[in-house]
Amino acid sequence: MATSNKTLRTCEHGHNYYKSSDCPTCPVCAQKSKPETGFLSLLSAPARRALEHHGITTLQQLSAYSEKEILQLHGMGPASLPKLRAALQESALSFKN
């Protein structure tokens, strides 16, 4: 059985969690900040943070990017694209060509 390199960490709000990466994001805080509605609520935490980090919080802002540009964001994976395409289509928008 492989051993885990996870270390115990405590966030600034006092939540204890284990992480094996250098990512400083507390999973408890991340879950609390997850939107309940809108296209960002459909995404995994890494994908949502990738968009938020680049100031993409509306579908109009998202439509200014190509799929290729979005996939290049750290934390964004190909599984998120169908969700984003569907959200854009519902608002009569699409990715930039």
Side-chain angles (χ1 to χ4, degrees):
M1 180 180 229
T3 59
S4 175
N5 293 328
K6 293 183 178 186
T7 58
L8 177 62
R9 301 179 192 183
T10 304
C11 77
E12 62 187 33
H13 300 287
H15 304 123
N16 293 318
Y17 61 97
Y18 287 90
K19 278 266 179 126
S20 59
S21 69
D22 291 337
C23 177
T25 304
C26 167
V28 177
C29 292
Q31 185 62 32
K32 287 181 178 181
S33 68
K34 181 179 179 178
E36 292 185 20
T37 61
F39 80 102
L40 291 174
S41 69
L42 305 173
L43 303 175
S44 66
R48 186 177 67 253
R49 285 193 304 268
L51 294 176
E52 291 172 338
H53 178 75
H54 286 86
I56 305 169
T57 58
T58 68
L59 289 170
Q60 290 75 21
Q61 292 168 330
L62 179 64
S63 70
Y65 293 84
S66 70
E67 289 186 20
K68 184 177 179 181
E69 291 170 321
I70 294 299
L71 277 175
Q72 291 175 347
L73 301 179
H74 178 75
M76 186 62 65
S80 297
L81 283 182
K83 296 172 187 176
L84 294 175
R85 273 190 225 110
L88 286 167
Q89 286 176 343
E90 286 178 17
S91 295
L93 296 169
S94 65
F95 283 107
K96 177 179 85 173
N97 290 327

